[in-house]
Amino acid sequence: MSISLDKLKALRKQAGHADAATAAVGAASAAKPTSSEAEAMPVPSEASGALPASAGSSVSRLKPLLRQAPAREAPARGEALPASPAREDSVFGWVEQIRHRPATPAPAPAARSPGRPQDVHALRRLLATRNRAIAPVARDDRSGPIDRDLPGTEIAPGLHLIEAFLPQPVPARPLSLAFSKRPDEAVPPHDLLFFDTETTGLAGGTGTRAFMIGAADWHRDAARGEGLRVRQLLMSTMGAESAMLDAFAAWLAPTTVLSSYNGRCYDAPLLKTRYRLARRGDPISALDHVDLLFPTRRRWRGTWENCRLATIERQLLRIQREDDLPGSEAPGAWLDYLRGGSARNLRRVGEHNHQDVVTLAQLFLRLVQAEAEERAAALTAGN
């Protein structure tokens, strides 16, 4: 069934309020109500001055015709929409206005606070990338390039050997191990190897590795004479671990006696783990090991506030360190160097490790002396 344009004009004249009808129909078209909402919508009466019931039904009949109306050709990209004047002699005037009205731009999204990242994980990756980057123009003290110099000689890619020699007399006789509850045993001074490690953490396990191994032994050199030889192995890259383990194993002999401070519980097991992970034989387990922590505790527990090595060397050996880097900061110093930071704190780690192994040699002699004095006092009292 169709309806002529003349009849629609007559309906508009009967309504007397064409503008109101146009607004009502336009709002209904823009809202696009469902069929159920359209049925529930009240029909305005003649008393209110709106369209009569017949006009509402006529408009509903007009909707299929609007759907079948040919679509206008879309303008080219970037071309402005052509103006379409409203036609007062046709009910399609308001339809033309609505169809060709420019779309309202979508509101811009609310700006996020500059202090709140949109993606926390992306921000963390960005920070990690920034820390790993080595900027050639970066400055360490704002007066020159970053200090990346490491002491010693690079004996393998990423592995540095640091050597020092401290002239001093080597004990002439074997040193008694009576202080370690081994009264019938003694060790030749040249067989002792005092060692200490600097690691990436204190948790242990496969995720912790030693980036520095320091060792000291009494040595007789043809040119320099007798003294304490200090050797240190320092990794400047992750890939140098295998070379470091091989170099340390070359310092060991079947007669070597290891000596450390709590190394039996920490340093030695850590190195054994690293040898196994590197698919190398374990050169440590077969060697004798004298840990100086336990005899030190038995003899001087309660004398000072604790039995840390730094406390023992200050109170017993009268050694005062200067500009010493705490051992807890050693992992951060090494990791910062790997990320392109300064080598200054890493050199301080080397100095700390150097003093540790020198202190071990002096503490060993002090324990031997204290045990001998105690035995002599006991014999004198017995006589």
Side-chain angles (χ1 to χ4, degrees):
M1 178 181 293
S2 61
I3 183 170
S4 64
L5 294 178
D6 296 334
K7 189 172 183 179
L8 285 177
K9 291 180 181 179
L11 291 175
R12 291 181 60 188
K13 292 179 180 180
Q14 292 177 4
H17 296 280
D19 295 338
T22 302
V25 177
S29 176
K32 294 184 180 179
T34 60
S35 58
S36 58
E37 293 174 346
E39 293 175 0
M41 186 180 300
V43 180
S45 62
E46 297 182 2
S48 62
L51 287 173
S54 59
S57 61
S58 299
V59 172
S60 62
R61 295 173 182 175
L62 181 61
K63 291 181 180 180
L65 296 177
L66 294 177
R67 297 191 187 100
Q68 297 176 3
R72 288 176 175 266
E73 183 179 357
R77 185 179 181 87
E79 181 183 351
L81 291 174
S84 177
R87 291 180 295 174
E88 296 296 336
D89 58 343
S90 173
V91 293
F92 290 97
W94 59 270
V95 176
E96 294 286 337
Q97 293 177 2
I98 295 177
R99 177 176 295 178
H100 298 286
R101 184 175 55 191
T104 304
R112 290 179 176 268
S113 173
R116 297 182 58 187
Q118 298 184 8
D119 189 347
V120 177
H121 299 290
L123 179 59
R124 289 175 178 171
R125 290 193 297 269
L126 178 61
L127 292 176
T129 304
R130 184 191 65 180
N131 291 336
R132 287 195 301 267
I134 302 177
V137 297
R139 304 290 177 178
D140 184 20
D141 55 357
R142 300 187 183 278
S143 62
I146 291 180
D147 180 6
R148 300 279 295 171
D149 294 333
L150 293 177
T153 305
E154 190 172 11
I155 59 175
L159 180 65
H160 296 256
L161 172 63
I162 309 167
E163 293 185 289
F165 189 82
L166 307 178
Q168 57 182 258
V170 178
R173 295 179 296 179
L175 301 174
S176 173
L177 299 181
F179 68 88
S180 188
K181 295 186 176 181
R182 298 162 63 176
D184 300 330
E185 300 182 34
V187 55
H190 292 90
D191 289 341
L192 280 169
L193 184 68
F194 306 97
F195 81 103
D196 183 55
T197 64
E198 303 298 333
T199 66
T200 57
L202 299 177
T206 58
T208 304
R209 66 180 67 202
F211 64 87
M212 174 178 282
I213 303 177
D217 61 337
W218 281 295
H219 182 69
R220 183 175 286 104
D221 186 85
R224 295 175 290 186
E226 295 182 346
L228 188 68
R229 177 178 57 178
V230 180
R231 293 174 290 180
Q232 297 170 278
L233 296 170
L234 171 61
M235 293 167 42
S236 60
T237 62
M238 288 285 191
E241 183 180 33
S242 297
M244 182 184 70
L245 295 176
D246 292 339
F248 181 68
W251 297 350
L252 307 177
T255 58
T256 299
V257 177
L258 297 174
S259 183
S260 64
Y261 202 81
N262 197 34
R264 183 183 291 275
C265 299
Y266 181 75
D267 300 86
L270 175 64
L271 289 178
K272 293 176 186 179
T273 300
R274 303 315 304 179
Y275 275 107
R276 286 195 296 268
L277 292 177
R279 299 179 181 271
R280 282 161 170 74
D282 175 14
I284 298 177
S285 298
L287 303 180
D288 192 6
H289 194 155
V290 180
D291 197 324
L292 304 183
L293 171 63
F294 306 106
T296 301
R297 280 180 175 174
R298 286 193 298 267
R299 182 170 294 278
W300 290 293
R301 175 180 292 169
T303 305
W304 303 294
E305 62 271 21
N306 54 54
C307 287
R308 295 177 55 201
L309 186 61
T311 303
I312 295 300
E313 67 180 10
R314 184 178 67 253
Q315 300 289 351
L316 179 65
L317 305 176
R318 303 303 178 185
I319 298 175
Q320 189 68 34
R321 301 195 184 195
E322 296 181 1
D323 192 31
D324 183 62
L325 186 73
S328 59
E329 298 183 18
W334 186 65
L335 293 175
D336 182 65
Y337 179 83
L338 292 187
R339 293 167 179 164
S342 172
R344 179 179 179 274
N345 282 339
L346 192 54
R347 289 196 298 268
R348 295 175 64 193
V349 173
E351 295 171 0
H352 175 92
N353 181 264
H354 173 97
Q355 185 59 55
D356 281 349
V357 294
V358 172
T359 298
L360 289 178
Q362 297 184 21
L363 179 58
F364 194 102
L365 294 177
R366 187 67 180 86
L367 286 169
V368 172
Q369 179 184 356
E371 184 68 23
E373 292 174 353
E374 184 176 336
R375 289 188 171 223
L379 290 176
T380 303
N383 294 333

